[in-house]
Amino acid sequence: MSSNKTTAHAVKPLGVAVLGCGVVGSQVVRLLLEGDADLAARVGAPLEIRGVAVRRLDAPRDVEVPAELLTTDAHGLVARDDVDLVVEVIGGIEPARGLILKALESGASVVTANKALLAEDGPTLYEAAEKAGTDLYYEAAVAGAIPILRPLRDSLVGDHVTKVMGIVNGTTNYILDKMDTYGAGFEEALAEAQELGYAEADPTADVEGFDAAAKAAILASLAFHTRVTASDVYREGITEVTAGDVASAKAMGSVVKLLAIAELDGDDVSARVHPVMIPRTHALATVRGAYNAVFVESASAGDLMFYGQGAGGEPTASAVLGDLVTIGRNKALGARGFGESAYAARAVRPMGETVTRYHVSLDVADKAGVLAAVATAFSEHGVSIKAVRQEGRGEDAQLVVVSHEAPDAALAATVQHLREMEYVRDVASVMRVEGAV
Ligand SMILES: NC(=O)c1ccc[n+]([C@@H]2O[C@H](COP(=O)([O-])OP(=O)(O)OC[C@H]3O[C@@H](n4cnc5c(N)ncnc54)[C@H](O)[C@@H]3O)[C@@H](O)[C@H]2O)c1
Ligand SMILES: N[C@@H](CCO)C(=O)O
Ligand code: NA
Protein backbone atom coordinates (compact mmCIF):
# COMPACT_ATOMS: atom_id res chain seq x y z
CA MET A 1 0.00 0.00 0.00
CA SER A 2 1.12 3.62 -0.56
CA SER A 3 2.24 5.61 2.48
CA ASN A 4 1.78 9.25 1.49
CA LYS A 5 -1.61 9.76 3.12
CA THR A 6 -0.70 11.64 6.26
CA THR A 7 -3.74 13.87 6.74
CA ALA A 8 -5.51 11.54 9.18
CA HIS A 9 -2.49 11.43 11.50
CA ALA A 10 -3.40 14.76 13.04
CA VAL A 11 -6.29 13.13 14.89
CA LYS A 12 -6.07 10.93 17.99
CA PRO A 13 -5.00 7.40 17.12
CA LEU A 14 -7.21 4.41 17.94
CA GLY A 15 -5.57 1.69 20.02
CA VAL A 16 -5.99 -1.88 18.80
CA ALA A 17 -5.54 -5.09 20.81
CA VAL A 18 -5.22 -8.38 18.97
CA LEU A 19 -6.08 -11.46 21.02
CA GLY A 20 -4.50 -14.61 19.56
CA CYS A 21 -1.66 -14.75 17.05
CA GLY A 22 -2.32 -18.03 15.22
CA VAL A 23 -3.35 -18.61 11.61
CA VAL A 24 -5.71 -15.61 11.44
CA GLY A 25 -4.24 -13.38 14.17
CA SER A 26 -0.74 -13.33 12.66
CA GLN A 27 -2.16 -12.19 9.30
CA VAL A 28 -4.29 -9.52 11.01
CA VAL A 29 -1.14 -8.15 12.69
CA ARG A 30 0.80 -8.23 9.41
CA LEU A 31 -1.95 -6.45 7.44
CA LEU A 32 -2.33 -3.85 10.22
CA LEU A 33 1.41 -3.13 10.24
CA GLU A 34 1.73 -3.08 6.43
CA GLY A 35 -1.48 -1.15 5.75
CA ASP A 36 -0.71 1.55 8.25
CA ALA A 37 -1.22 4.81 6.32
CA ASP A 38 -3.98 3.62 4.00
CA LEU A 39 -5.92 2.20 6.92
CA ALA A 40 -5.49 5.48 8.82
CA ALA A 41 -6.87 7.41 5.84
CA ARG A 42 -9.80 5.04 5.50
CA VAL A 43 -10.66 5.07 9.20
CA GLY A 44 -10.06 8.78 9.70
CA ALA A 45 -7.58 8.02 12.52
CA PRO A 46 -4.41 5.94 12.72
CA LEU A 47 -4.80 2.41 14.04
CA GLU A 48 -2.04 1.65 16.55
CA ILE A 49 -1.46 -1.86 17.83
CA ARG A 50 -1.20 -1.62 21.64
CA GLY A 51 -0.56 -5.31 22.15
CA VAL A 52 -0.89 -8.84 20.78
CA ALA A 53 -2.01 -11.39 23.37
CA VAL A 54 -0.42 -14.81 22.95
CA ARG A 55 -0.25 -17.98 25.00
CA ARG A 56 3.53 -18.28 24.77
CA LEU A 57 5.94 -15.41 24.09
CA ASP A 58 8.52 -17.67 22.46
CA ALA A 59 6.20 -19.70 20.19
CA PRO A 60 7.19 -19.83 16.49
CA ARG A 61 4.95 -17.54 14.40
CA ASP A 62 4.08 -17.19 10.71
CA VAL A 63 4.69 -13.45 10.91
CA GLU A 64 7.29 -11.39 12.71
CA VAL A 65 5.61 -9.46 15.51
CA PRO A 66 7.62 -6.74 17.31
CA ALA A 67 8.57 -8.31 20.67
CA GLU A 68 7.41 -5.28 22.65
CA LEU A 69 3.84 -5.85 21.42
CA LEU A 70 3.59 -9.42 22.69
CA THR A 71 1.94 -10.13 26.03
CA THR A 72 0.53 -13.17 27.80
CA ASP A 73 -1.85 -10.96 29.81
CA ALA A 74 -4.90 -10.80 27.52
CA HIS A 75 -7.20 -9.62 30.33
CA GLY A 76 -4.88 -6.78 31.22
CA LEU A 77 -4.55 -5.78 27.56
CA VAL A 78 -8.30 -5.50 26.81
CA ALA A 79 -8.91 -3.38 29.92
CA ARG A 80 -6.24 -0.80 29.04
CA ASP A 81 -7.57 2.78 28.74
CA ASP A 82 -5.75 3.27 25.45
CA VAL A 83 -7.37 0.24 23.77
CA ASP A 84 -10.38 1.28 21.67
CA LEU A 85 -10.73 -1.73 19.34
CA VAL A 86 -10.25 -5.40 20.17
CA VAL A 87 -9.81 -8.26 17.69
CA GLU A 88 -10.58 -11.69 19.19
CA VAL A 89 -9.01 -14.49 17.13
CA ILE A 90 -8.33 -17.05 19.85
CA GLY A 91 -11.43 -19.12 19.11
CA GLY A 92 -13.49 -21.41 21.35
CA ILE A 93 -15.77 -20.42 24.21
CA GLU A 94 -13.42 -19.49 27.07
CA PRO A 95 -11.35 -17.42 27.57
CA ALA A 96 -12.69 -15.75 24.38
CA ARG A 97 -16.12 -14.93 25.85
CA GLY A 98 -14.74 -13.47 29.09
CA LEU A 99 -12.23 -11.37 27.14
CA ILE A 100 -14.86 -10.02 24.71
CA LEU A 101 -17.20 -9.15 27.57
CA LYS A 102 -14.40 -7.41 29.44
CA ALA A 103 -13.45 -5.47 26.30
CA LEU A 104 -17.04 -4.36 25.70
CA GLU A 105 -17.54 -3.42 29.35
CA SER A 106 -14.34 -1.37 29.17
CA GLY A 107 -15.86 0.60 26.28
CA ALA A 108 -13.92 -1.01 23.41
CA SER A 109 -15.58 -2.17 20.18
CA VAL A 110 -14.88 -5.75 19.17
CA VAL A 111 -14.27 -7.76 16.01
CA THR A 112 -14.36 -11.53 16.35
CA ALA A 113 -14.07 -14.46 13.94
CA ASN A 114 -15.46 -16.84 16.56
CA LYS A 115 -18.46 -18.65 15.05
CA ALA A 116 -18.53 -21.24 17.84
CA LEU A 117 -18.99 -18.58 20.52
CA LEU A 118 -21.45 -16.46 18.51
CA ALA A 119 -23.60 -19.49 17.71
CA GLU A 120 -23.58 -20.69 21.31
CA ASP A 121 -23.95 -17.46 23.21
CA GLY A 122 -24.24 -14.54 20.75
CA PRO A 123 -27.05 -12.77 22.65
CA THR A 124 -24.88 -12.35 25.77
CA LEU A 125 -22.30 -10.57 23.61
CA TYR A 126 -24.86 -8.45 21.72
CA GLU A 127 -26.46 -7.37 24.99
CA ALA A 128 -23.08 -6.41 26.46
CA ALA A 129 -22.30 -4.34 23.33
CA GLU A 130 -25.73 -2.69 23.51
CA LYS A 131 -25.27 -1.85 27.18
CA ALA A 132 -21.80 -0.44 26.62
CA GLY A 133 -22.81 1.47 23.46
CA THR A 134 -20.04 -0.22 21.47
CA ASP A 135 -19.82 -2.30 18.28
CA LEU A 136 -19.56 -6.08 17.81
CA TYR A 137 -18.71 -7.16 14.24
CA TYR A 138 -17.96 -10.68 13.02
CA GLU A 139 -17.87 -10.96 9.21
CA ALA A 140 -15.01 -13.49 9.36
CA ALA A 141 -17.09 -15.93 11.43
CA VAL A 142 -19.08 -17.16 8.41
CA ALA A 143 -17.50 -18.05 5.09
CA GLY A 144 -14.17 -16.36 5.90
CA ALA A 145 -13.31 -13.66 3.39
CA ILE A 146 -16.71 -13.67 1.70
CA PRO A 147 -18.80 -10.63 2.56
CA ILE A 148 -22.10 -12.22 3.58
CA LEU A 149 -22.98 -11.12 7.12
CA ARG A 150 -22.76 -7.40 6.44
CA PRO A 151 -24.69 -7.79 3.16
CA LEU A 152 -27.43 -9.48 5.22
CA ARG A 153 -27.18 -6.91 8.04
CA ASP A 154 -26.89 -3.85 5.79
CA SER A 155 -27.34 -4.14 2.02
CA LEU A 156 -30.31 -6.53 2.10
CA VAL A 157 -31.93 -5.17 5.26
CA GLY A 158 -34.65 -3.43 3.21
CA ASP A 159 -35.56 -6.65 1.42
CA HIS A 160 -37.37 -9.77 2.58
CA VAL A 161 -34.93 -12.69 2.63
CA THR A 162 -36.70 -16.05 2.35
CA LYS A 163 -33.88 -18.56 2.17
CA VAL A 164 -30.11 -18.76 2.62
CA MET A 165 -28.22 -21.83 1.41
CA GLY A 166 -24.49 -21.99 1.89
CA ILE A 167 -21.46 -24.11 1.25
CA VAL A 168 -19.82 -22.75 4.38
CA ASN A 169 -17.24 -25.43 5.14
CA GLY A 170 -14.27 -25.74 2.82
CA THR A 171 -12.99 -29.06 4.16
CA THR A 172 -16.22 -30.93 3.48
CA ASN A 173 -16.66 -29.28 0.09
CA TYR A 174 -13.16 -30.39 -0.83
CA ILE A 175 -13.91 -33.99 0.23
CA LEU A 176 -17.25 -34.14 -1.60
CA ASP A 177 -15.68 -32.59 -4.70
CA LYS A 178 -12.98 -35.30 -4.76
CA MET A 179 -15.65 -37.99 -4.32
CA ASP A 180 -17.54 -36.50 -7.26
CA THR A 181 -14.51 -36.01 -9.52
CA TYR A 182 -12.63 -39.27 -8.93
CA GLY A 183 -15.34 -41.54 -7.48
CA ALA A 184 -13.24 -41.62 -4.28
CA GLY A 185 -14.74 -42.95 -1.04
CA PHE A 186 -15.16 -40.68 1.99
CA GLU A 187 -12.13 -42.02 3.92
CA GLU A 188 -9.82 -41.70 0.92
CA ALA A 189 -10.95 -38.14 0.18
CA LEU A 190 -10.61 -37.18 3.87
CA ALA A 191 -7.04 -38.52 3.97
CA GLU A 192 -6.20 -36.37 0.92
CA ALA A 193 -7.78 -33.30 2.55
CA GLN A 194 -5.68 -33.93 5.67
CA GLU A 195 -2.48 -34.33 3.65
CA LEU A 196 -3.10 -30.99 1.95
CA GLY A 197 -3.81 -29.31 5.29
CA TYR A 198 -7.48 -28.53 4.62
CA ALA A 199 -8.80 -30.98 7.20
CA GLU A 200 -7.42 -30.93 10.72
CA ALA A 201 -5.95 -33.99 12.46
CA ASP A 202 -9.27 -34.19 14.32
CA PRO A 203 -11.71 -33.39 11.52
CA THR A 204 -14.87 -33.91 13.64
CA ALA A 205 -16.04 -30.28 13.68
CA ASP A 206 -15.92 -30.16 9.88
CA VAL A 207 -17.06 -33.63 8.75
CA GLU A 208 -19.78 -33.99 11.39
CA GLY A 209 -21.19 -30.58 10.42
CA PHE A 210 -20.62 -28.74 13.75
CA ASP A 211 -18.68 -25.91 12.06
CA ALA A 212 -21.40 -25.50 9.40
CA ALA A 213 -24.16 -25.67 12.06
CA ALA A 214 -22.62 -22.76 13.98
CA LYS A 215 -22.55 -20.78 10.72
CA ALA A 216 -26.15 -21.78 9.91
CA ALA A 217 -27.26 -20.39 13.28
CA ILE A 218 -25.54 -17.07 12.60
CA LEU A 219 -26.95 -16.85 9.04
CA ALA A 220 -30.50 -17.70 10.20
CA SER A 221 -30.35 -15.12 13.00
CA LEU A 222 -29.23 -12.31 10.68
CA ALA A 223 -31.37 -13.22 7.67
CA PHE A 224 -34.59 -13.52 9.67
CA HIS A 225 -34.06 -11.00 12.50
CA THR A 226 -34.33 -13.59 15.22
CA ARG A 227 -32.18 -15.65 17.57
CA VAL A 228 -31.07 -19.08 16.44
CA THR A 229 -28.39 -20.93 18.38
CA ALA A 230 -26.24 -23.88 17.31
CA SER A 231 -28.38 -26.26 19.39
CA ASP A 232 -31.46 -25.24 17.33
CA VAL A 233 -29.80 -26.37 14.11
CA TYR A 234 -30.52 -29.85 12.78
CA ARG A 235 -27.17 -31.39 11.85
CA GLU A 236 -25.96 -34.30 9.75
CA GLY A 237 -22.37 -34.41 8.52
CA ILE A 238 -20.85 -36.16 5.52
CA THR A 239 -19.37 -39.27 7.16
CA GLU A 240 -22.25 -41.42 5.92
CA VAL A 241 -22.07 -40.17 2.33
CA THR A 242 -20.92 -43.08 0.15
CA ALA A 243 -19.38 -43.34 -3.31
CA GLY A 244 -22.77 -44.89 -4.22
CA ASP A 245 -24.66 -41.75 -3.10
CA VAL A 246 -22.35 -39.59 -5.20
CA ALA A 247 -22.72 -41.92 -8.21
CA SER A 248 -26.49 -41.90 -7.77
CA ALA A 249 -26.48 -38.10 -7.80
CA LYS A 250 -24.28 -38.11 -10.90
CA ALA A 251 -26.73 -40.38 -12.72
CA MET A 252 -29.43 -37.76 -12.01
CA GLY A 253 -27.27 -34.87 -13.33
CA SER A 254 -26.76 -33.76 -9.71
CA VAL A 255 -23.97 -33.36 -7.20
CA VAL A 256 -23.81 -33.91 -3.44
CA LYS A 257 -22.96 -30.86 -1.32
CA LEU A 258 -23.04 -30.21 2.44
CA LEU A 259 -25.35 -27.22 2.78
CA ALA A 260 -26.20 -24.95 5.67
CA ILE A 261 -29.82 -24.00 5.02
CA ALA A 262 -31.79 -21.27 6.78
CA GLU A 263 -35.32 -20.85 5.55
CA LEU A 264 -38.53 -19.05 6.44
CA ASP A 265 -41.47 -21.37 6.94
CA GLY A 266 -44.53 -19.21 7.57
CA ASP A 267 -43.60 -17.20 10.65
CA ASP A 268 -41.12 -19.87 11.74
CA VAL A 269 -37.57 -20.48 10.69
CA SER A 270 -35.84 -23.72 9.77
CA ALA A 271 -32.09 -24.08 10.22
CA ARG A 272 -30.28 -27.23 9.19
CA VAL A 273 -27.04 -28.72 7.92
CA HIS A 274 -27.04 -31.94 5.93
CA PRO A 275 -25.83 -33.42 2.66
CA VAL A 276 -28.01 -32.38 -0.25
CA MET A 277 -28.32 -33.42 -3.88
CA ILE A 278 -28.48 -30.34 -6.13
CA PRO A 279 -28.67 -30.22 -9.92
CA ARG A 280 -25.39 -29.43 -11.68
CA THR A 281 -27.11 -26.41 -13.21
CA HIS A 282 -27.53 -24.79 -9.76
CA ALA A 283 -25.00 -22.02 -9.02
CA LEU A 284 -23.89 -23.81 -5.82
CA ALA A 285 -22.97 -26.94 -7.83
CA THR A 286 -20.17 -24.96 -9.50
CA VAL A 287 -18.39 -24.34 -6.18
CA ARG A 288 -15.37 -26.65 -6.29
CA GLY A 289 -12.51 -27.60 -4.00
CA ALA A 290 -12.30 -25.80 -0.66
CA TYR A 291 -14.21 -22.72 -1.89
CA ASN A 292 -17.33 -21.47 -0.12
CA ALA A 293 -20.46 -19.79 -1.45
CA VAL A 294 -23.72 -18.55 -0.02
CA PHE A 295 -26.87 -18.41 -2.11
CA VAL A 296 -29.56 -15.98 -0.95
CA GLU A 297 -33.17 -15.89 -2.13
CA SER A 298 -35.07 -12.69 -1.42
CA ALA A 299 -38.41 -11.18 -2.41
CA SER A 300 -37.18 -8.14 -4.34
CA ALA A 301 -33.52 -8.76 -5.19
CA GLY A 302 -34.28 -12.31 -6.32
CA ASP A 303 -31.39 -14.76 -6.21
CA LEU A 304 -27.88 -13.66 -5.20
CA MET A 305 -24.67 -15.61 -4.76
CA PHE A 306 -21.61 -14.68 -2.70
CA TYR A 307 -18.50 -16.71 -3.57
CA GLY A 308 -14.87 -16.91 -2.46
CA GLN A 309 -12.40 -18.22 0.09
CA GLY A 310 -14.08 -19.36 3.26
CA ALA A 311 -10.91 -20.04 5.22
CA GLY A 312 -7.17 -19.42 5.40
CA GLY A 313 -5.24 -16.89 7.44
CA GLU A 314 -4.97 -14.03 4.97
CA PRO A 315 -8.46 -14.27 3.39
CA THR A 316 -10.04 -14.46 6.85
CA ALA A 317 -7.89 -11.55 8.02
CA SER A 318 -9.30 -9.50 5.11
CA ALA A 319 -12.78 -9.83 6.62
CA VAL A 320 -11.41 -8.95 10.07
CA LEU A 321 -9.71 -5.82 8.69
CA GLY A 322 -12.92 -4.77 6.92
CA ASP A 323 -14.76 -4.92 10.23
CA LEU A 324 -11.92 -3.22 12.06
CA VAL A 325 -11.95 -0.24 9.68
CA THR A 326 -15.72 0.00 10.07
CA ILE A 327 -15.75 -0.05 13.89
CA GLY A 328 -12.76 2.30 13.81
CA ARG A 329 -14.73 4.75 11.66
CA ASN A 330 -17.63 4.56 14.08
CA LYS A 331 -15.32 5.17 17.07
CA ALA A 332 -13.60 8.05 15.31
CA LEU A 333 -17.03 9.62 14.77
CA GLY A 334 -18.10 8.89 18.36
CA ALA A 335 -20.88 6.67 16.98
CA ARG A 336 -21.79 3.00 16.83
CA GLY A 337 -23.44 0.82 14.21
CA PHE A 338 -26.86 -0.77 14.58
CA GLY A 339 -26.62 -3.75 16.96
CA GLU A 340 -28.52 -7.01 17.03
CA SER A 341 -31.84 -7.07 15.17
CA ALA A 342 -33.87 -9.91 16.68
CA TYR A 343 -37.28 -8.20 16.78
CA ALA A 344 -39.03 -11.00 14.83
CA ALA A 345 -38.44 -13.61 17.60
CA ARG A 346 -39.32 -16.59 15.40
CA ALA A 347 -39.80 -20.17 16.55
CA VAL A 348 -37.40 -22.74 15.09
CA ARG A 349 -39.18 -25.57 13.27
CA PRO A 350 -38.18 -29.08 14.38
CA MET A 351 -36.58 -31.04 11.51
CA GLY A 352 -39.45 -33.56 11.39
CA GLU A 353 -41.88 -30.74 10.56
CA THR A 354 -39.57 -29.07 8.06
CA VAL A 355 -40.67 -29.59 4.48
CA THR A 356 -38.02 -31.29 2.35
CA ARG A 357 -37.73 -33.55 -0.70
CA TYR A 358 -35.98 -36.91 -0.90
CA HIS A 359 -34.13 -38.84 -3.57
CA VAL A 360 -34.26 -42.57 -2.82
CA SER A 361 -32.40 -45.24 -4.75
CA LEU A 362 -33.59 -48.83 -4.18
CA ASP A 363 -32.28 -52.24 -5.24
CA VAL A 364 -35.39 -54.29 -5.89
CA ALA A 365 -36.44 -57.60 -7.43
CA ASP A 366 -37.56 -56.99 -11.05
CA LYS A 367 -41.03 -58.52 -10.61
CA ALA A 368 -44.62 -57.55 -11.29
CA GLY A 369 -46.06 -55.50 -8.43
CA VAL A 370 -42.79 -54.06 -7.12
CA LEU A 371 -43.33 -50.58 -8.47
CA ALA A 372 -46.92 -50.56 -7.19
CA ALA A 373 -45.78 -51.69 -3.72
CA VAL A 374 -43.11 -48.99 -3.57
CA ALA A 375 -45.61 -46.35 -4.72
CA THR A 376 -48.03 -47.52 -2.02
CA ALA A 377 -45.36 -47.14 0.68
CA PHE A 378 -44.95 -43.49 -0.33
CA SER A 379 -48.70 -42.81 -0.47
CA GLU A 380 -49.33 -44.46 2.91
CA HIS A 381 -47.13 -41.78 4.46
CA GLY A 382 -48.83 -39.01 2.50
CA VAL A 383 -45.76 -38.49 0.28
CA SER A 384 -46.35 -37.72 -3.38
CA ILE A 385 -43.88 -39.04 -5.97
CA LYS A 386 -42.44 -36.61 -8.50
CA ALA A 387 -40.41 -38.98 -10.68
CA VAL A 388 -39.46 -42.64 -10.89
CA ARG A 389 -36.70 -44.15 -12.98
CA GLN A 390 -36.00 -47.86 -13.35
CA GLU A 391 -32.85 -49.49 -14.58
CA GLY A 392 -32.95 -53.26 -15.13
CA ARG A 393 -30.08 -55.50 -14.06
CA GLY A 394 -31.12 -59.10 -14.94
CA GLU A 395 -33.25 -60.45 -12.09
CA ASP A 396 -32.70 -57.23 -10.21
CA ALA A 397 -33.58 -53.64 -10.89
CA GLN A 398 -32.70 -50.28 -9.48
CA LEU A 399 -35.56 -47.92 -8.77
CA VAL A 400 -34.84 -44.25 -8.26
CA VAL A 401 -37.67 -42.24 -6.73
CA VAL A 402 -37.73 -38.48 -6.27
CA SER A 403 -40.50 -37.21 -3.99
CA HIS A 404 -42.45 -34.00 -3.96
CA GLU A 405 -42.18 -31.84 -0.85
CA ALA A 406 -43.33 -33.42 2.41
CA PRO A 407 -42.56 -33.09 6.12
CA ASP A 408 -39.16 -34.63 6.76
CA ALA A 409 -40.64 -37.05 9.34
CA ALA A 410 -43.05 -38.46 6.70
CA LEU A 411 -40.17 -38.94 4.28
CA ALA A 412 -38.03 -40.63 6.92
CA ALA A 413 -40.94 -42.93 7.84
CA THR A 414 -41.37 -43.81 4.15
CA VAL A 415 -37.71 -44.81 3.93
CA GLN A 416 -38.04 -46.95 7.07
CA HIS A 417 -41.10 -48.60 5.52
CA LEU A 418 -39.15 -49.29 2.30
CA ARG A 419 -36.30 -50.86 4.27
CA GLU A 420 -38.77 -53.33 5.79
CA MET A 421 -40.36 -54.35 2.46
CA GLU A 422 -39.68 -57.84 1.17
CA TYR A 423 -39.25 -56.71 -2.45
CA VAL A 424 -36.65 -54.12 -1.48
CA ARG A 425 -33.21 -55.76 -1.29
CA ASP A 426 -31.43 -52.61 -0.29
CA VAL A 427 -32.10 -48.93 0.19
CA ALA A 428 -28.92 -47.98 -1.62
CA SER A 429 -29.07 -44.22 -1.22
CA VAL A 430 -31.23 -41.64 0.55
CA MET A 431 -30.48 -37.99 0.05
CA ARG A 432 -32.43 -34.76 0.51
CA VAL A 433 -32.84 -32.70 -2.63
CA GLU A 434 -32.68 -28.93 -3.26
CA GLY A 435 -33.19 -27.07 -6.54
CA ALA A 436 -35.05 -28.30 -9.60
CA VAL A 437 -33.94 -31.97 -9.66
N1 LIG B 1 -8.31 -20.46 10.19
C1 LIG B 1 -9.33 -20.10 9.42
O1 LIG B 1 -9.31 -20.30 8.21
C2 LIG B 1 -10.52 -19.44 10.02
C3 LIG B 1 -11.55 -18.99 9.19
C4 LIG B 1 -12.66 -18.33 9.72
C5 LIG B 1 -12.73 -18.15 11.08
N2 LIG B 1 -11.73 -18.61 11.88
C6 LIG B 1 -11.85 -18.37 13.33
O2 LIG B 1 -10.78 -17.54 13.76
C7 LIG B 1 -10.45 -17.86 15.09
C8 LIG B 1 -8.95 -18.17 15.15
O3 LIG B 1 -8.68 -19.27 14.29
P1 LIG B 1 -7.19 -19.68 13.89
O4 LIG B 1 -7.32 -20.60 12.75
O5 LIG B 1 -6.36 -18.47 13.77
O6 LIG B 1 -6.77 -20.53 15.19
P2 LIG B 1 -5.29 -20.82 15.73
O7 LIG B 1 -5.41 -21.98 16.66
O8 LIG B 1 -4.32 -20.87 14.62
O9 LIG B 1 -4.99 -19.50 16.59
C9 LIG B 1 -5.48 -19.26 17.88
C10 LIG B 1 -4.33 -18.74 18.70
O10 LIG B 1 -4.83 -18.30 19.96
C11 LIG B 1 -3.82 -18.61 20.92
N3 LIG B 1 -4.39 -18.60 22.26
C12 LIG B 1 -5.09 -19.57 22.90
N4 LIG B 1 -5.44 -19.16 24.12
C13 LIG B 1 -4.95 -17.92 24.27
C14 LIG B 1 -5.01 -16.96 25.33
N5 LIG B 1 -5.61 -17.24 26.47
N6 LIG B 1 -4.43 -15.77 25.13
C15 LIG B 1 -3.80 -15.49 23.96
N7 LIG B 1 -3.73 -16.34 22.92
C16 LIG B 1 -4.31 -17.54 23.09
C17 LIG B 1 -3.29 -19.95 20.49
O11 LIG B 1 -2.03 -20.20 21.05
C18 LIG B 1 -3.25 -19.79 18.98
O12 LIG B 1 -2.01 -19.31 18.53
C19 LIG B 1 -11.36 -19.01 15.50
O13 LIG B 1 -12.48 -18.51 16.15
C20 LIG B 1 -11.75 -19.61 14.17
O14 LIG B 1 -12.98 -20.29 14.22
C21 LIG B 1 -10.62 -19.23 11.38
N1 LIG C 1 -12.64 -25.57 9.07
C1 LIG C 1 -13.32 -24.54 8.34
C2 LIG C 1 -12.51 -23.25 8.45
C3 LIG C 1 -13.29 -22.01 8.44
O1 LIG C 1 -14.28 -21.94 9.39
C4 LIG C 1 -13.47 -24.99 6.89
O2 LIG C 1 -13.04 -26.09 6.51
O3 LIG C 1 -14.10 -24.27 6.13
NA1 NA D 1 -17.51 -13.74 5.82
Side-chain angles (χ1 to χ4, degrees), residues 20-25 53-55 74 89-92 95 113-115 140-141 144 310-313 316:
C21 195
V23 173
V24 179
V54 296
R55 206 158 35 178
V89 276
I90 292 173
N114 195 332
K115 64 222 127 184
T316 305

Side-chain angles (χ1 to χ4, degrees), residues 115 141 168-172 198 200 206 211 215 292 310-311:
K115 64 222 127 184
V168 291
N169 183 270
T171 305
T172 47
Y198 290 122
E200 309 212 0
D206 293 321
D211 176 74
K215 294 164 178 170
N292 281 195

Side-chain angles (χ1 to χ4, degrees), residues 88 92-93 97 100 112-126 136 138 141-142 149 209-222 226-233 271 273 340:
E88 184 278 308
I93 306 301
R97 174 171 45 201
I100 292 175
T112 176
N114 195 332
K115 64 222 127 184
L117 175 57
L118 287 160
E120 182 172 304
D121 199 17
T124 300
L125 307 183
Y126 304 136
L136 174 68
Y138 46 92
V142 178
L149 301 188
F210 289 102
D211 176 74
K215 294 164 178 170
I218 296 168
L219 288 170
S221 302
L222 289 178
T226 188
R227 285 179 173 178
V228 177
T229 62
S231 60
D232 295 324
V233 179
V273 169
E340 182 196 22

Side-chain angles (χ1 to χ4, degrees), residues 19 75 78-79 86 88 93-110 112 117 121-132 134 136:
L19 312 180
H75 279 277
V78 296
V86 171
E88 184 278 308
I93 306 301
E94 290 296 351
R97 174 171 45 201
L99 287 166
I100 292 175
L101 290 174
K102 190 167 199 172
L104 294 169
E105 282 157 14
S106 310
S109 288
V110 172
T112 176
L117 175 57
D121 199 17
T124 300
L125 307 183
Y126 304 136
E127 281 161 17
E130 196 69 39
K131 198 164 158 218
T134 54
L136 174 68

